[in-house]
Amino acid sequence: NFNNFVEAFSFMTKIAVICEKHNHHPNWENVYSKVKIKLSTHDLGGITNLDQIIALEINGIFEK
């Protein structure tokens, strides 16, 4: 959760750059100030190391 839509969208933009770098894209949604991110490696049927790496990077950005 963020304070407003602009903060939420800014966060999503930063995450998009990370995901593109890894060529691994999450399922996500944004409603006003809320962002939900679901990481999974669909072709392998679950969570992989790549999902964990991206999750750590996302957490690092969120905590700033």
Side-chain angles (χ1 to χ4, degrees):
N1 288 313
F2 298 88
N3 291 319
N4 55 52
F5 177 75
V6 172
E7 286 183 14
F9 197 84
S10 174
F11 174 73
M12 291 177 72
T13 301
K14 292 172 187 170
I15 301 312
V17 172
I18 289 170
C19 293
E20 190 64 21
K21 174 180 76 173
H22 292 287
N23 193 31
H24 192 66
H25 307 93
N27 291 332
W28 59 1
E29 64 181 80
N30 164 242
V31 177
Y32 185 60
S33 63
K34 183 179 280 191
V35 176
K36 291 183 182 181
I37 302 170
K38 186 175 182 181
L39 295 167
S40 179
T41 303
H42 303 289
D43 54 341
L44 296 178
I47 305 290
T48 65
N49 275 351
L50 186 53
D51 297 299
Q52 293 174 343
I53 289 167
I54 292 172
L56 286 172
E57 290 188 42
I58 290 170
N59 287 342
I61 288 175
F62 183 74
E63 292 170 357
K64 287 183 181 177

